[in-house]
Amino acid sequence: MSVRTAVPMAMRLSWLVLFALMIGEFVTDLPGPGWATTFLPATVVLALMAATMTLQVRAASPQGDPRPPVEVDPPVTGRWTALNSPADKVPSHGTHVYGQTYAIDIVAAPETGEGEPSARPAFRWLWPVVRRNRAFPAFGAPLLAVADTTVVRASDGQRDHLSRNSLPALAYLMLIEGNVRSIVGAHRIIGNHVILDLGEGTFAVYAHVRRGSLQVKAGDRVRAGQWLGQVGNSGNTTEPHLHFHLMDGPDPDSARGVPFTWRGVGVPANGEAFTAGEQGQEQGREQAEGYGQEQVGEHVADA
C-alpha cells in the first residue's frame, strides 16, 4: 500500500477513534475512565490527526516541475462563469488533496432574450436559508466528454441536496457537513461523479453530477462531445455547478493534480465569463428534457 493511499485511511481512523472516545465519555452509561483520563488519549488522537492532515497534503502536493497543461475539449456548452480557477492561484481550492490542485468550478450564465446573462440566486445572510436546485441555471445542464476516451468510474446514487448559499447553511456545510463527508471519503466530497481515462497517466474528473442522470458506466468508450450526464448539486457543494479537474491517477484519494486547458477557451479566471462550443448541445438538451421529470421533483425536494 502506498503512502498516498495509507494517509487518507489513517485520517479516517483517527476521526473514528476520537468519536469513539467522545461517545464513550459523554453518551453511553458504560463505566469509563472518566474525563481526566480520557483527555490524554483524545489529545494524542488530535495530534495524530493534525500530523495525518499534514502528510495527506504533502502526499498530494505536486512533485518537481508541473506537467505541461493537457489540452482537452470543454466539458460544457453555452455561456458559463469560472470560480476558484487555477488561473488565479494554485492550489485553486486551497488544497492539493483529492488531486484538485488545478481544479476549477463553473456556474452557468446563459443569456436571456434581452441578451443579458440570467442571474443565479445571490448569497443571503439569513433568508432564504436554502433554495431548490431548479432556481440555479446550471442544474440539469449537459456534461460532455472532453476527449475520445474510456470511463473508469461512474456513480450517481447520491442525492442532490438543497443549496448552501446563506450564512446559516454555509456554516452548517463548513462546520458539520463538510467534516463528516471528509471522514467518509473522497466520494462523498465530490458527490456523484464521472472519471475518464485520457491516456498517458491523465484522468478527468467531473464532480457534483446530478443524481440518476448518468448515461455511461465504467468501461464504456465515449467520443469527444458525447453526453455523459447533467450538472447537479451532490457532494460538498453550495449550489449546482461543475467541478472539473485533471489528475494523475483514477483514485482522488491518492492522485496528484494535472494542469489543463480547454480547447478554444483556455483557463478562464475567477469571475470571467466564457462561451464553449455548441458541440453536443442539442443532444444534451433533448436527453435532459427526456430525463424523468417525476424523478426531478423527488430529487430537488431532498434537504
Side-chain angles (χ1 to χ4, degrees), residues 1-10 12 55-63 96 99 247-249 251-257:
M1 180 183 299
S2 68
V3 173
R4 287 197 287 171
T5 301
V7 166
M9 294 176 62
R12 288 171 204 138
L55 289 172
Q56 187 178 27
V57 172
R58 286 183 180 177
S61 298
Q63 302 295 307
H96 297 288
M247 56 188 187
D248 67 358
D251 185 358
D253 261 332
S254 59
R256 292 190 176 99

Side-chain angles (χ1 to χ4, degrees), residues 1 4-20 45 48-50 52-53 56 97-98 153 178-190 251-255:
M1 180 183 299
R4 287 197 287 171
T5 301
V7 166
M9 294 176 62
M11 167 66 83
R12 288 171 204 138
L13 181 60
S14 298
W15 274 107
L16 291 175
V17 171
L18 180 62
F19 284 152
V45 169
L48 288 173
M49 287 173 55
T52 304
M53 290 177 65
Q56 187 178 27
V97 298
Y98 308 132
R153 291 192 182 186
N179 285 321
V180 172
R181 289 184 182 278
S182 66
I183 295 169
V184 177
H187 69 287
R188 287 293 176 178
I189 294 290
I190 64 178
D251 185 358
D253 261 332
S254 59

Side-chain angles (χ1 to χ4, degrees), residues 62-85:
Q63 302 295 307
D65 295 332
R67 292 171 52 179
V70 176
E71 186 179 55
V72 294
D73 289 342
V76 294
T77 58
R79 192 174 187 276
W80 295 73
T81 300
L83 303 173
N84 301 317
S85 171

Side-chain angles (χ1 to χ4, degrees), residues 93 100 104-106 138-141 143 155-156 158-161 181 186-194 205-211 213-214 230-245:
H93 286 56
Q100 60 181 334
I104 191 170
D105 295 329
I106 58 174
F139 189 68
L143 297 173
S155 172
D156 67 353
Q158 298 179 48
R159 66 186 175 86
D160 294 291
H161 57 71
R181 289 184 182 278
H187 69 287
R188 287 293 176 178
I189 294 290
I190 64 178
N192 299 324
H193 59 278
V194 180
V205 180
Y206 301 67
H208 313 310
V209 174
R210 184 179 182 180
R211 183 181 185 182
S213 70
L214 288 182
Q230 297 176 2
V231 174
N233 196 35
S234 58
N236 202 59
T237 174
T238 58
E239 66 177 90
H241 73 282
L242 171 63
H243 170 110
F244 177 88
H245 70 261

Side-chain angles (χ1 to χ4, degrees), residues 4-302:
R4 287 197 287 171
T5 301
V7 166
M9 294 176 62
M11 167 66 83
R12 288 171 204 138
L13 181 60
S14 298
W15 274 107
L16 291 175
V17 171
L18 180 62
F19 284 152
L21 288 171
M22 294 173 62
I23 292 172
E25 183 62 31
F26 297 110
V27 178
T28 70
D29 293 328
L30 297 175
W35 168 245
T37 51
T38 302
F39 178 76
L40 179 58
T43 302
V44 172
V45 169
L46 286 172
L48 288 173
M49 287 173 55
T52 304
M53 290 177 65
T54 302
L55 289 172
Q56 187 178 27
V57 172
R58 286 183 180 177
S61 298
Q63 302 295 307
D65 295 332
R67 292 171 52 179
V70 176
E71 186 179 55
V72 294
D73 289 342
V76 294
T77 58
R79 192 174 187 276
W80 295 73
T81 300
L83 303 173
N84 301 317
S85 171
D88 294 273
K89 69 172 184 176
V90 175
S92 58
H93 286 56
T95 181
H96 297 288
V97 298
Y98 308 132
Q100 60 181 334
T101 299
Y102 305 98
I104 191 170
D105 295 329
I106 58 174
V107 293
E111 293 183 348
T112 63
E114 291 75 29
E116 295 294 328
S118 60
R120 74 185 204 276
F123 181 87
R124 298 292 185 183
W125 288 106
L126 293 176
W127 193 262
V129 176
V130 297
R131 291 182 175 87
R132 294 185 180 277
N133 292 313
R134 279 293 187 184
F136 298 84
F139 189 68
L143 297 173
L144 308 178
V146 295
D148 297 344
T149 183
T150 302
V151 179
V152 293
R153 291 192 182 186
S155 172
D156 67 353
Q158 298 179 48
R159 66 186 175 86
D160 294 291
H161 57 71
L162 300 177
S163 74
R164 308 286 190 246
N165 66 337
S166 70
L167 185 59
L170 182 61
Y172 166 72
L173 173 67
M174 300 296 291
L175 300 176
I176 301 175
E177 183 179 13
N179 285 321
V180 172
R181 289 184 182 278
S182 66
I183 295 169
V184 177
H187 69 287
R188 287 293 176 178
I189 294 290
I190 64 178
N192 299 324
H193 59 278
V194 180
I195 299 179
L196 306 179
D197 182 356
L198 304 183
E200 299 182 354
T202 305
F203 297 79
V205 180
Y206 301 67
H208 313 310
V209 174
R210 184 179 182 180
R211 183 181 185 182
S213 70
L214 288 182
Q215 299 297 305
V216 296
K217 63 183 184 302
D220 285 355
R221 286 288 301 173
V222 296
R223 304 285 295 177
Q226 181 175 331
W227 193 69
L228 303 176
Q230 297 176 2
V231 174
N233 196 35
S234 58
N236 202 59
T237 174
T238 58
E239 66 177 90
H241 73 282
L242 171 63
H243 170 110
F244 177 88
H245 70 261
L246 301 186
M247 56 188 187
D248 67 358
D251 185 358
D253 261 332
S254 59
R256 292 190 176 99
V258 174
F260 76 90
T261 182
W262 286 329
R263 192 170 288 112
V265 173
V267 182
N270 286 342
E272 180 181 345
F274 65 94
T275 301
E278 299 300 311
Q279 182 182 16
Q281 189 169 24
E282 291 303 321
Q283 178 191 11
R285 284 203 192 103
E286 293 173 2
Q287 297 194 43
E289 291 170 357
Y291 172 70
Q293 295 302 317
E294 70 284 353
Q295 295 181 3
V296 171
E298 295 173 5
H299 297 336
V300 299
D302 287 339

